[in-house]
């Protein structure tokens, strides 16, 4: 059942909402007007907290609570909008900034007002060149209409908003690496603590929120907590823009209330429209490449934070990758870990060396066809030596594909090395 | 600091709050392996080697109380993941487990990971044998590797980071210690990273590459063989080396070094830890600049002039000729026709013996340790008299300390002081840098003032005025002789006008005065640019220290940066015309170096003994006087410019070829050991001096001992020492150098009790906190100091024996000659034409001479960088290429000292020279 009212992907219903006038016609910047004229920053923080808005970047941390971590009386503060969307299988941020930029900008202004900051940045993925220009154009329009800059709407509140394009590194989506990159340094994660809310950009209190998180703020402010909570579940209120890809008939971004079963996302004609050639589902990666895998017999799991966690995985970025029975689990693990190896910044040992080693072993197994039985326990050890020991979540994420593959499809690895071993012997005898 | 109680592997330990888990474990005698962590730098938690299990007492959220189990013990909630010990500060009741299976698995895993990218080329690696990666692998690592060797990533090896340091990117484990050292400690942020993942590597970001005077230290702290020095690379295996403790004599810091010897060869020079001097660092000049010791140009036999040529001779003949010629001159014209110069790098024993020879045997009062060049430092007594109190340790200073650096450029004059002062600022101390020109230390300063060159005394008088007002307000006025007259003088000073003349604001002066007066500890450091003004300025700095009550205690007082590694020792030993050993007054002062040249030209001085100093090179104007001498004996390691005009040349041993003691800028007497035999017939300087004295026996006319009788001094009221001085006439029967040191201890006031034996007993005092297995992590650093850390003799002011009075002489403003509108600033460089840099890699770091002018002056005079400029004064002129320095004050020009091709003495007219600039050729 499709949403009657979209919150995030409003461009589905209003295709030209990226146009400033169209956005205004549909009540654009009204929430901002209400906020700066009639609400105190604290009231907005309370609203966002009560609405139960949770961070859409992956961790699902309650946004209002995060805002509350800012130390009192320490200024300046910064708001960073994380648009370095690089997680494999995830592409909703791109659609938002390209098709619905004004709602994001409005969300950023209201959020900045709520946390009492006067400078905000949108850090976009380097490859989003055209979309970043759309965003910059929209920001210029907002400035020209008095929604940004000095004395916004006569309220006395000032805010400057900048778009900063990254140079194409996945790690810069990690919040501390993002700040390093924004400061002009090499994009590598910082040690936590201190957490960004205490000492972030330029050592000042900083809030970092995902694009999809911030775009939820104007509807919450405009339509209220109760309205917002009418979507989704008790603990995961609201909607989620899922990015669906893989062997489905209709890949794309679909906004669903939290709690819809995975099966519906894949098979509903409004969404995925079923599997290509009606082949069975073998693997579902529900939250971007960093999420542990589900298998074809787990399709009834509800798509919300709690249900997915209970199923041993996570909602993550909402990038749902659906793979059918034609794929080889070791090969999928290889391709995914190759991504993490390519994107590992190199700062900490287990991620730098572990991803490299994993990929070398998997490459030998899946591409060079001379794996060895010993490789299987070695693979187990490599990810165990990484798990929990890395400096940031990139290394931890790299554990997920190989761990899932080994746990869920051990026989595929065993077959692979047995076949290869036999082939190798044949090769030797025929020589 | 509040104390925190933690339990590590069942061992309870109490450490100050803020200590991290790794350091807390060291206190408990438990080793947590580390690579990226280094106790001198901020932790980053990159290598993940120090992963341990950590738990904290469980706190009931409702009551805020620690939950207890049935036995009343706190319930410990273990953290869900292993934590890096280096980045986790201890908290009350914390429990740390370092040997659980989980921890062992993780630590073994990290080592296995590190070794997957490591080339394992230990057999050809210079670090092999002192490599933390080897050590930790043996203790915590896996027995073998499951990694397919063909999967290793390869890089070109090695690549130069600079001409001194090479990087092997295959061996590098990317701990980032070198980059962080350059950023945090050296303040030369010239290293960085490039690329990412397995291709992440260290690069140099500067031009010229790795532009830092402290680069060698990165090779010490590198935990693998990734960074090696061009100086030591492939020279020896470390287990063949024997470390001999020594002292660097290049500058007044007196860094503790170790000469790592294989047989008789110095294979490398390493720092030796001394918290009070150099911590665990040395500068590149100390590390790479000792190659002169093994130079093939060393003299190996005595030389004597025959038929105009210097030819080899025997010691017997050489000493006999020296004695005979000196005796002849003394008989004919008295001891006053003889003069002696001994350099400020020689040991105390050499200098003491030398002045004894002159004062007691030859009865000549004409002694100096300088060459008489205009602009060289006056004989500075204040650095002793009001020197930093005994027990001073810059390493312990931070919040509550104010250091005022006046007219000094520590990076060039005494490099390690820059690191020490930066450390004080880092730990929350105030660092006030006052200079007439830009210096690197300014970057670390909490307050920075630039005065107009030539107006230093206006500056100090204005500063003294506001400081006096401040001490009066604070009711901290000291009871010191001369206070009233100082008050009267200062009252006549218009602070506004003086500040304006000096080019600073009264506000800035007031801030400096307040910070200095109110600080718990205050230190004033002064150097070349202060000495360029003369004794009135340094006396003003003494006035300030006394007024503010910053003398006579540990961590308070003055530090004077004089050129030469043992200038303080030379002043203490009385190698100077105005005072005897230990600052005892002389009834009849002698001639200073500058006066000697005049006397030699006029024939009043007929014979000279020049030891370890090269006036003909340093001050070419002295050549005429040297050539006019009837007899000149030069004692040196090399055939210097002065030696080339000598009648007899005596070859001496280097600092590495004999034992000796040296006194640093903080009056710390430190002992260096003999590391190798002297080449050929070279002998230790004191031995040769004694040889001359013995050869003179019976040849001289007896003289009434009037000229050398010590009458008064700082320590004069001490009867026993007075008696000691009178014992001067003892025989020349020193058998070892420690006999000379004993004589110094017996007779030189202040040095009482400082003997080689007592120096050896100063033991392994340090801050490093060595413990079992420490070598595992910090191997290859040679930090251990087993040979004593030196003794700091008390400053006279500590014992209320100072003769210092608060006073200010009136400023005599010389009329400015309009033909010479620019003030000449002479910059002392670390890498200059010092002949002792010979054979070292640093020779290529010595710049070509130049004259630096400000941007405005460059525009005004139409002089571009690279143009040839004639710099002229009333004394003469020299031609140099121009450089334009953005930050230089208008009206001043800067010329580096001691560069070949820039004979500054041709234009210098005195402490302060005024010059004119004329462009003579376009670039």
């Amino acid at each position: 059942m499709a949403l009657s009212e979209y919150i995030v992907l409003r461009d589905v219903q209003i295709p030209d909402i990226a146009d400033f006038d169209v956005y205004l016609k549909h009540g654009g910047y009204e929430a901002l007007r209400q906020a700066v004229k009639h609400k105190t920053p604290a009231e907005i923080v309370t609203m966002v907290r009560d609405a139960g808005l949770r961070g859409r970047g992956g961790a699902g941390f309650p946004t209002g609570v995060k805002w509350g971590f800012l130390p009192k009386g320490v200024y300046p503060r910064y708001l960073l909008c994380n648009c370095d969307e690089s997680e494999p299988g995830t592409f909703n941020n791109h659609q938002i900034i390209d098709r619905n930029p004004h709602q994001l900008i409005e969300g950023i202004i209201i959020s900045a007002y709520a946390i009492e900051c006067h400078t905000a940045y949108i850090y976009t993925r380097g490859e989003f060149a055209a979309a970043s220009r759309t965003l910059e154009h929209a920001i210029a329009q907002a400035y020209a209409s008095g929604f940004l800059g000095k004395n916004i709407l006569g309220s006395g509140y000032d805010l400057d908003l900048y778009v900063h394009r990254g140079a194409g590194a996945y790690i810069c989506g990690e919040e501390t690496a993002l700040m390093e990159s924004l400061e002009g340094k090499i994009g590598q994660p910082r040690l936590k603590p201190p957490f960004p809310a205490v000492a972030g950009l330029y050592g000042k209190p900083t809030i970092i929120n995902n694009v999809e998180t911030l775009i939820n703020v104007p509807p919450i402010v405009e339509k209220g907590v109760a309205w917002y909570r009418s979507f989704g579940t008790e603990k995961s209120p609201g909607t989620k823009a899922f990015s669906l890809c893989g062997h489905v008939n209709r890949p794309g971004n679909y906004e669903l209330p939290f709690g819809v079963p995975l099966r519906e996302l894949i098979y509903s004609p409004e969404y995925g429209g079923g599997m290509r050639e009606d082949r069975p589902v073998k693997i579902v990666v529900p939250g971007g490449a960093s999420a542990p895998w589900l298998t074809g017999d787990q399709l009834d799991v509800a798509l919300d934070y709690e249900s997915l966690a209970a199923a041993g995985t996570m909602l993550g970025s909402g990038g749902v990758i659906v793979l059918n029975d034609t794929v080889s689990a070791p090969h999928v693990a290889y391709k995914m870990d190759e991504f993490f190896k390519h994107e590992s910044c190199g700062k900490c040992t287990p991620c730098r060396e572990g991803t490299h080693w994993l990929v070398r072993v998997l490459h030998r197994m899946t591409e060079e066809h001379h794996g060895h039985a010993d490789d299987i326990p070695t693979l187990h050890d490599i990810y165990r030596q990484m798990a929990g020991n890395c400096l940031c979540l990139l290394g931890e994420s790299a554990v997920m594909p190989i761990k899932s593959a080994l746990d869920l499809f051990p026989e595929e690895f065993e077959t692979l090395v047995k076949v290869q071993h036999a082939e190798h012997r044949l090769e030797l005898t025929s020589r | 600091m509040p104390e925190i109680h933690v339990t590590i592997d069942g061992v309870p330990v109490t450490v100050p709050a803020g200590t991290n888990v790794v350091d807390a474990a060291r206190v408990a005698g438990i080793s947590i392996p580390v690579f990226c962590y280094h106790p001198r730098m901020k932790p980053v938690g990159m290598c993940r080697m120090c992963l341990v299990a950590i738990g904290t007492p469980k706190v009931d959220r409702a009551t805020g109380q620690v939950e207890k189990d049935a036995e009343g013990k706190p319930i410990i909630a273990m953290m869900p993941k292993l934590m890096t010990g280096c980045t986790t500060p201890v908290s009350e009741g914390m429990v740390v487990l370092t040997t659980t299976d989980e921890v062992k698995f993780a630590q073994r895993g990290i080592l296995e990971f590190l070794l997957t990218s490591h080339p394992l080329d230990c057999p050809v690696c210079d670090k092999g044998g002192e490599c933390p990666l080897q050590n930790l692998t043996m203790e915590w690592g896996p027995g073998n590797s499951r990694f397919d060797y063909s999967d290793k990533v390869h890089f070109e090896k090695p690549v130069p980071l600079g001409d001194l340091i090479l990087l092997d990117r295959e061996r590098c484990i990317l701990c980032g210690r070198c980059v962080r050292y350059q950023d945090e400690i050296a303040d030369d942020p010239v290293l960085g990273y490039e690329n990412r993942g397995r291709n992440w590597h260290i690069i140099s970001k500067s031009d010229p590459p790795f532009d830092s005077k402290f680069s060698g230290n990165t090779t010490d702290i590198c935990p693998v063989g990734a960074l090696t020095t061009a100086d030591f690379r492939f020279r020896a295996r470390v287990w063949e080396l024997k470390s001999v403790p020594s002292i660097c004599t290049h500058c007044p810091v007196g860094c503790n070094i170790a000469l790592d010897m294989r047989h008789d060869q110095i294979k490398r020079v390493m720092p030796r830890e001394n918290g009070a001097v150099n911590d665990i660092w040395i500068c590149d000049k100390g590390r790479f600049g000792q190659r002169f010791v093994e130079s093939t140009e060393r003299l190996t036999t005595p030389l004597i002039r025959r038929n105009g040529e210097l030819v080899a001779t025997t010691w017997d003949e050489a000493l006999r000729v020296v004695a005979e010629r000196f005796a002849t001159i003394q008989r004919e014209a008295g001891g006053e026709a003889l003069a002696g110069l001994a350099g400020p790098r020689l040991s105390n024993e050499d200098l003491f013996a030398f002045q004894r020879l002159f004062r007691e045997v030859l009865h000549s009062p004409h002694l100096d340790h300088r060459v008489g060049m205009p602009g060289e430092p006056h004989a500075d007594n204040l650095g002793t008299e009001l020197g930093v109190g005994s027990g001073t340790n810059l390493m312990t200073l931070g919040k509550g300390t104010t250091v005022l650096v006046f007219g000094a450029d520590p990076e060039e004059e005494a490099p390690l002081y820059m690191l020490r002062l930066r450390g004080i600022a880092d730990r929350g101390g105030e660092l006030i840098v006052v200079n007439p020109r830009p210096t690197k230390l300014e970057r670390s300063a909490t307050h920075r003032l630039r005065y107009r060159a030539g107006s230093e005394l206006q500056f100090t008088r204005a500063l003294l005025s506001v400081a006096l007002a401040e001490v009066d307000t604070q009711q901290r006025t000291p009871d010191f002789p001369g206070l009233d007259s100082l008050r009267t003088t200062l009252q006549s000073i218009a602070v506004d006008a003086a500040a304006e003349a000096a080019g600073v604001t009264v506000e800035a002066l007031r801030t400096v005065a307040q910070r200095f007066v109110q600080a718990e500890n205050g230190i004033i450091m002064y150097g070349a640019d202060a000495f360029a003004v003369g004794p009135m300025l340094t006396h003003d700095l003494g006035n300030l220290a006394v007024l503010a009550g910053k003398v006579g205690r540990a961590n308070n007082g003055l530090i004077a940066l004089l050129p030469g590694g043992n200038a303080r020792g030379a002043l203490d030993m009385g190698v100077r015309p105005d005072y005897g050993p230990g600052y005892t007054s002389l009834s009849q002062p002698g001639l200073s170096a500058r006066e000697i040249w005049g006397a030699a030209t006029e024939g009043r001085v007929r014979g000279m003994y020049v030891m370890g100093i090269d006036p003909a090179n340093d001050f070419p104007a002295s050549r005429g006087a040297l050539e006019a001498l009837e007899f000149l004996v030069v004692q040196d390691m090399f055939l210097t410019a002065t030696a080339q005009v000598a009648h007899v040349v005596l070859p001496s041993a280097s600092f590495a070829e004999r034992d000796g003691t040296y006194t640093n800028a903080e009056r710390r007497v430190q002992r260096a050991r003999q590391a190798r035999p002297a080449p050929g017939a070279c002998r230790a300087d004191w031995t040769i001096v004694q040889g001359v004295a013995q050869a003179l026996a019976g040849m001289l006319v007896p003289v009434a001992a009037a000229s050398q009788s010590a009458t008064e001094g700082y320590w004069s009221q001490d009867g026993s020492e007075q008696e000691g001085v009178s014992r001067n006439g003892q025989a020349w029967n020193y058998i070892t150098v420690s006999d000379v040191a004993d004589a110094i201890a017996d007779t030189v006031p202040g040095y009482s009790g400082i003997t080689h034996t007592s120096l050896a007993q100063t033991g392994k005092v340090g801050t490093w906190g060595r413990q079992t297995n420490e070598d595992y992590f910090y191997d290859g650093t040679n930090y251990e100091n087993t040979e004593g850390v030196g003794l700091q003799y008390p400053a006279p002011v500590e014992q209320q024996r100072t003769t210092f009075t608060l006073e200010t002489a009136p400023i005599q403003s010389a009329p400015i000659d309009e033909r010479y509108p620019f003030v000449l600033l002479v910059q002392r460089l670390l890498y200059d034409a010092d002949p002792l840099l010979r054979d070292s890699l640093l020779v290529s770091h010595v710049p070509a001479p130049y004259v630096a002018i400000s941007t405005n002056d460059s525009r005004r005079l139409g002089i571009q960088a690279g143009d040839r400029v004639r710099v002229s004064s009333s004394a003469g002129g020299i031609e140099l290429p121009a450089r334009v320095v953005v930050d230089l004050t208008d009206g001043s020009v800067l010329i580096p000292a001691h560069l070949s091709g820039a004979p500054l003495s041709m234009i210098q007219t005195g402490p302060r020279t005024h010059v004119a600039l004329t462009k003579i050729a376009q670039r």
Side-chain angles (χ1 to χ4, degrees), chain B residues 317-369:
Chain B
E317 190 194 10
L319 291 175
R320 184 174 48 77
V321 170
V322 171
E324 281 172 5
R325 300 292 297 271
F326 278 171
T328 308
I329 294 170
Q330 195 253 10
R331 276 198 305 272
E332 291 173 12
E336 282 163 37
L338 295 167
L341 299 183
R345 287 179 194 246
L346 298 166
S347 76
N348 289 333
E349 290 80 359
D350 303 330
L351 295 162
F352 177 77
F354 190 73
Q355 67 84 30
R356 263 199 74 196
L357 174 71
F358 271 81
R359 294 215 168 92
E360 296 171 23
V361 180
L362 298 170
H363 299 294
S364 163
H366 309 317
L367 280 166
D368 211 335
H369 61 282

Side-chain angles (χ1 to χ4, degrees), chain B residues 218-443:
Chain B
T218 58
T219 62
D220 291 352
I221 57 175
C222 179
V224 292
L227 295 180
T228 47
T229 68
D231 187 62
F232 176 60
R233 193 177 164 72
F234 300 144
R235 288 276 206 115
R237 302 315 316 236
V238 295
W239 52 84
E240 305 166 332
L241 301 177
K242 183 170 170 280
S243 277
V244 180
S246 192
I247 300 294
C248 175
T249 60
H250 280 311
C251 87
V253 174
C255 287
N256 292 206
I257 54 174
L259 302 176
D260 280 5
M261 309 296 297
R262 188 172 70 185
H263 309 302
D264 298 343
Q265 293 172 310
I266 300 177
K267 287 298 174 186
R268 64 176 178 181
V269 178
M270 298 287 274
R272 232 176 356 123
E273 187 200 359
N274 188 338
V277 179
N278 55 308
D279 191 10
I280 55 172
W281 318 116
I282 53 173
C283 75
D284 286 354
K285 191 172 184 183
R287 187 184 298 266
F288 304 122
Q290 317 286 7
R291 291 285 165 211
F292 68 90
V293 170
E294 293 172 345
S295 169
T296 52
E297 295 166 47
R298 284 284 298 273
L299 294 172
T300 52
T301 75
L303 305 174
I304 193 161
R305 193 167 294 277
R306 284 200 184 102
N307 306 324
E309 294 287 313
L310 283 170
V311 294
T313 183
T314 61
W315 275 110
D316 284 349
E317 190 194 10
L319 291 175
R320 184 174 48 77
V321 170
V322 171
E324 281 172 5
R325 300 292 297 271
F326 278 171
T328 308
I329 294 170
Q330 195 253 10
R331 276 198 305 272
E332 291 173 12
E336 282 163 37
L338 295 167
L341 299 183
R345 287 179 194 246
L346 298 166
S347 76
N348 289 333
E349 290 80 359
D350 303 330
L351 295 162
F352 177 77
F354 190 73
Q355 67 84 30
R356 263 199 74 196
L357 174 71
F358 271 81
R359 294 215 168 92
E360 296 171 23
V361 180
L362 298 170
H363 299 294
S364 163
H366 309 317
L367 280 166
D368 211 335
H369 61 282
R370 297 162 294 176
V371 295
M373 195 168 50
E376 74 186 352
H378 57 269
D380 172 87
N381 287 359
L382 291 182
T384 290
E385 191 174 0
L386 303 180
V388 285
S390 40
T392 294
N393 187 342
L394 301 188
M395 190 154 182
T396 60
L397 299 182
K399 205 165 170 48
T401 298
T402 296
V403 182
L404 171 64
V405 178
F406 193 103
D409 186 354
E411 193 211 6
E412 302 284 357
E413 295 177 46
L416 249 292
Y417 272 125
M418 189 175 104
L419 306 193
R420 308 315 301 276
L421 298 181
R422 270 179 54 69
I424 294 175
D426 252 13
R427 292 185 291 271
E430 302 266 358
L431 179 58
I432 302 167
V433 177
V434 183
N435 260 334
R437 60 177 177 85
T439 63
K440 193 176 273 176
L441 187 67
E442 279 182 348
R443 298 206 300 236

Side-chain angles (χ1 to χ4, degrees), chain A residues 168-169 186 188 191 342-350 352-354 356-357 360 364 378 381-382 384-386 388-391 396, chain B residues 43-48 51 81-82 87 105-106 109-110 112-114 116-117 146-148 151 153 173-174 193 195-198 200:
Chain A
I186 192 165
Q188 291 189 330
L191 204 65
H342 183 257
E343 296 296 340
S344 170
C345 79
K347 188 170 182 176
C348 79
T349 310
R352 178 182 71 234
E353 308 295 350
H356 174 73
W357 192 2
R360 288 306 308 155
R364 257 203 313 281
T378 301
D381 270 1
I382 298 172
R384 281 186 200 134
Q385 285 167 202
M386 295 168 68
N389 297 341
C390 298
L391 183 70
E396 308 292 337
Chain B
V44 284
M46 284 161 59
C47 75
R48 320 300 288 175
L51 288 165
K81 296 200 301 182
L82 298 180
T87 62
F105 179 80
I110 298 296
E112 187 177 23
F113 280 147
L114 286 173
T116 62
S117 65
R146 295 169 288 181
F147 189 76
D148 191 321
D151 287 347
V153 175
I173 59 164
L174 296 164
Y193 306 102
N195 217 317
R196 70 183 184 201
R198 190 57 204 100
W200 197 41

Side-chain angles (χ1 to χ4, degrees), chain A residues 32-312:
Chain A
L32 173 65
R33 198 177 303 275
Q34 281 179 34
V36 297
K37 294 237 162 138
H38 305 296
K39 289 191 167 60
T40 64
E43 282 169 358
I44 297 169
V45 175
T46 309
M47 276 188 94
V48 169
R49 196 180 58 224
D50 293 349
L53 176 62
R54 297 176 65 164
R56 303 289 197 254
F61 194 82
T63 305
V65 177
K66 190 184 206 174
W67 292 0
F69 287 156
L70 287 168
K72 293 204 169 25
V74 186
Y75 300 94
R77 294 165 169 180
Y78 295 103
L79 175 67
L80 309 184
C81 172
N82 187 346
C83 186
D84 189 55
E85 181 179 58
S86 320
E87 184 75 27
T90 312
F91 38 86
N92 61 37
N93 287 184
H94 187 233
Q95 179 172 336
I96 290 169
I97 61 167
D98 197 39
R99 308 265 181 85
N100 191 10
H102 280 290
Q103 190 180 337
L104 173 65
I105 293 165
E106 188 178 1
I108 290 171
I109 305 168
I110 298 170
S111 305
Y113 172 72
I115 64 166
E116 300 174 67
C117 99
H118 299 286
T119 310
Y121 298 89
I122 305 174
Y123 187 98
T124 65
R125 176 177 170 178
E127 290 86 341
F128 292 176
S132 295
R133 279 193 288 277
T134 308
L135 205 50
E136 279 169 352
H137 179 64
I139 289 171
Q141 289 172 323
Y143 266 106
S145 304
F147 299 133
L148 275 170
K150 296 276 176 222
N151 193 17
I152 293 170
L153 297 173
S155 65
Y157 173 67
D158 308 332
L159 177 69
D160 283 311
L161 175 61
Y162 305 93
V163 174
H164 181 94
R165 263 177 72 198
Y170 172 66
I171 187 61
C172 290
E174 198 279 340
E175 57 184 11
T176 57
L178 186 153
M179 295 188 301
E180 289 282 296
S181 171
L182 199 54
E183 289 178 9
K185 301 173 188 159
I186 192 165
Q188 291 189 330
R190 293 179 188 169
L191 204 65
K192 290 191 276 192
F195 291 94
V198 176
L201 187 67
Y202 305 116
K204 297 295 176 190
T206 302
I207 291 292
I208 301 166
N209 286 131
N210 181 260
V211 166
E212 196 188 341
T213 313
L214 292 171
I215 204 168
N216 272 287
V217 173
I220 292 173
V221 169
E222 193 182 348
K223 297 178 180 169
V225 170
W227 168 84
Y228 190 77
R229 279 192 167 275
S230 69
F231 299 88
T233 68
E234 167 66 25
K235 289 193 170 165
S236 304
T239 63
K240 173 82 189 99
F242 287 97
S243 302
L244 181 66
C245 67
H247 297 133
V248 290
N249 283 320
R250 281 163 43 90
N253 286 318
Y254 299 104
E255 185 174 346
L256 275 64
F258 280 110
V260 172
L262 174 57
R263 187 182 300 281
E264 189 175 331
L265 177 66
I266 297 171
Y267 287 99
S268 163
E270 293 168 48
Y271 310 131
M275 295 297 286
R276 268 195 253 162
E277 299 164 24
D278 288 329
R279 297 195 77 97
V281 175
K282 176 172 176 180
I283 298 165
V284 180
V285 194
S290 307
W293 300 354
L294 298 172
T295 53
D297 51 9
Q298 288 174 291
L299 299 186
D300 293 316
V301 65
L303 292 171
D304 60 63
Y305 292 105
E306 288 68 32
S307 309
L308 284 165

Side-chain angles (χ1 to χ4, degrees), chain A residues 404-418:
Chain A
S404 297
L406 284 165
D407 288 352
L408 300 172
F409 306 99
E411 69 289 348
E412 292 194 25
F413 286 87
E414 279 155 27
T415 312
L416 211 50
V417 296
K418 268 182 203 152

